[in-house]
Amino acid sequence: PAVIVVDNLADPDVSFDLFGRLRDELWAAGHVWLVAARPKDSSAFRAPPAEAFWGAVVEIPPLNEHEVLEFLHKGLSNDEIAQLRKLPLAGFHPRLLIRELHSALEEDPQAKAKEARIGGLLRRAAELGRSEELALRELIGLGRPASAHDPDLLANLGWSRSYAQRIFSHLESNRLVRSLPEATGERAGRPRKLYEPSPSAPA
């Protein structure tokens, strides 16, 4: 028997086939499964018959300041922690925190410049309001341009489309994000705005 780790399982058909249709066969094989997925992708293996497969389900919210500090001290040396000047200490999910730590400790000048830019954007967003900071942090964590209607973004934020649009418009008017038109392809109608973090830190 082995421990099988599957990270970022995002295909509902695969999830249902493995842990629903093949549930009994997987049980009989005797392996231990650890699966990580974003909440929006977890429904297929948390619904019958797959829900009976799991011994435990753990939902990980954004880390608070105490949890981030504990995370740092478990994974980094004191010298590495001392290098993390001005790193925001709360509101990170583990995956985004690891990405930010990697950039912060990277010697590449471009990585350091990106870290400073992102830090400046987040600080300015926090000055505008908690919602603005959350929206920008989630957009950065998403790693791609997204509209205020993006299902991933809305699921993570727990907001309505209209509220998300208002917050992103506020961020855009303060030059913390910039917008570009969505390629509509076959979809009729006016193209949506896609938002991405501003390429330069605010003055």
Side-chain angles (χ1 to χ4, degrees), residues 107-167:
E107 292 301 324
D108 182 359
Q110 290 185 343
K112 287 189 174 294
K114 180 182 177 183
E115 176 204 349
R117 177 176 65 86
I118 294 300
L121 293 174
L122 288 171
R123 283 192 294 275
R124 281 284 290 112
E127 292 171 5
L128 296 177
R130 178 61 174 159
S131 293
E132 284 78 3
E133 181 188 8
L134 284 173
L136 183 57
R137 196 180 294 281
E138 286 296 341
L139 182 64
I140 293 167
L142 201 58
R144 59 173 172 79
S147 77
H149 297 235
D150 188 283
D152 292 349
L153 207 58
L154 292 176
N156 291 340
L157 291 167
W159 294 348
S160 68
R161 291 179 178 183
S162 59
Y163 186 74
Q165 184 62 66
R166 185 163 45 132
I167 295 302

Side-chain angles (χ1 to χ4, degrees), residues 4-16:
I4 301 173
V5 180
V6 183
D7 187 30
N8 198 27
L9 182 55
D11 188 321
D13 293 332
V14 171
S15 303
F16 183 76

